[in-house]
Structures are given as C-alpha cells and as structure tokens.
Amino acid sequence: MFSRLDKNTKVFALCGAIIVGMVGMAYAAVPIYDLFCRVTGYGGTTQLVQYDPGQVLDREVTVRFDASRSRDFPWEFEPLQNEMRVNVGETALAFYRATNTSDRPVTGIASYNVTPFKMGPYFSKLECFCFTEQTLDPGQSMDMPVIFFVDPLMDEDDRLDDIRTMTLSYTFWESGDERVYETAEASGSDAEAQ
C-alpha cells in the first residue's frame, strides 16, 4: 500500500507541476510576444531607437495619424494633425491629445502599430508615450509627443518601392487591461473606436 501511495503522490506532483508550468507560460506569453514584435517589427510594431540616422533622402512619405480607445475607456483621444509629409530619414514631431471625460482620475496605457505592416521595422520612434502609464484627473487634457523618423534603410528594400503613405495608430486602454500588449491587433481599424 505504501508503494501505491508513493506512485499516486508522484503522479499528483507531476500533474501539479505541469499545471503550474502551463499557467506560468500563459502569463509569460504576452510579454514574450510583445518583445518578439518589438525586436522583429512583426505585425507593424515599430522600433524604439536611441539615435537619429543623420541621413535624409529626397524620397517623401506621408505619415497619417490614427487614434482610438477601448470601448469603455472614458477618454477622448485624437491626433492633433491628420497627416504630415516627411522625407525619409528626417526627424519629425507629432502630437496626440488625451482628455479624461470621467469624474474620476483614470490611468491609461497606449499600444501602437504601423500599417502597412511591412513598414513596421522602418518606422523608428525616438520618443513616444506608448506602454507608459498616463494618469489624467477629471477633465484634464494632455498633449503627448511622438518624435520619429522613417529609416533610410527602407530605400534599400525593394518590397517598399510602392510605399508612399503609412499610418501610425495608437489605441488607449485602461491600465491593467492585458489587451494593451496585443500590438499586432491594436490597429485603428481593429480597435473599437469612439
């Protein structure tokens, strides 16, 4: 009987370890996927860089700006410019405005992407408000900057010869909402807009 108890205890322990491992993997999947997207540019995820390329090409690209929010998120959120034309390699500055329309302080966090997705690796941000918690008091508004450039290396990629326009999309979510890390699905067309 003692050996049968040992077998049952081992099976129970193994099952418990597998369940704990699966739960751990489920929680780790979101940050690992986010890291993968940031490193590879998969799903239109842009790159956050520490430098300006210093090379500006004659080639122009129109950058459109899109803003959305999750369904019940009590903010108004909009770009302060609809689009801008930039030379490839040129550093540019754009602004988005968020306003808390509720009667309580609300903390939000933004995800982003770029379309077409193949432009993700070439759209580089020097500064942005993405993945950083922003808290607004009732009625408070905040203008949030995005400093960016389109990497001159895009000119060497034959797949991008037809690209004249791209869209930078931000979606705001209430802090703590795990969907914020699903950057591949957080485009302006997929998110539930106001």
Side-chain angles (χ1 to χ4, degrees):
M1 171 130 174
F2 186 69
S3 66
R4 184 170 179 87
L5 182 62
D6 284 340
K7 276 186 173 179
N8 288 340
T9 303
K10 287 180 184 178
V11 169
F12 180 73
L14 179 61
C15 288
I18 290 172
I19 290 170
V20 168
M22 290 174 68
V23 169
M25 294 283 283
Y27 279 103
V30 171
I32 289 171
Y33 179 74
D34 179 51
L35 178 64
F36 171 77
C37 289
R38 288 176 190 239
V39 169
T40 65
Y42 179 76
T45 303
T46 64
Q47 307 298 307
L48 188 58
V49 295
Q50 303 295 323
Y51 66 94
D52 181 334
Q55 177 187 16
V56 178
L57 306 180
D58 288 333
R59 180 177 179 179
E60 284 188 337
V61 176
T62 298
V63 179
R64 293 185 177 149
F65 301 93
D66 178 58
S68 61
R69 59 182 179 80
S70 63
R71 181 186 319 215
D72 297 321
F73 191 60
W75 285 10
E76 289 179 4
F77 180 53
E78 63 186 351
L80 294 184
Q81 61 289 302
N82 292 325
E83 64 182 38
M84 67 173 54
R85 294 188 59 78
V86 296
N87 284 52
V88 173
E90 173 187 8
T91 301
L93 172 65
F95 285 92
Y96 282 78
R97 176 171 292 151
T99 302
N100 181 353
T101 59
S102 76
D103 59 356
R104 63 182 172 86
V106 177
T107 300
I109 190 165
S111 61
Y112 61 89
N113 75 1
V114 168
T115 54
F117 289 154
K118 61 186 177 180
M119 278 301 298
Y122 300 100
F123 189 87
S124 301
K125 293 180 291 161
L126 296 166
E127 180 181 327
C128 81
F129 53 90
C130 51
F131 298 110
T132 303
E133 289 188 344
Q134 311 288 337
T135 301
L136 296 178
D137 289 326
Q140 181 182 5
S141 291
M142 179 184 346
D143 291 348
M144 297 171 285
V146 179
I147 301 174
F148 66 92
F149 65 91
V150 178
D151 196 319
L153 291 176
M154 85 167 273
D155 212 39
E156 298 173 14
D157 189 335
D158 295 339
R159 300 175 310 127
L160 304 177
D161 287 346
D162 63 331
I163 300 296
R164 301 285 178 260
T165 303
M166 58 193 303
T167 302
L168 175 62
S169 297
Y170 282 94
T171 302
F172 252 103
W173 310 83
E174 187 129 17
S175 183
D177 189 331
E178 287 299 317
R179 294 175 297 173
V180 72
Y181 296 106
E182 297 171 4
T183 56
E185 297 176 5
S187 71
S189 60
D190 292 341
E192 295 172 315
Q194 180 170 309

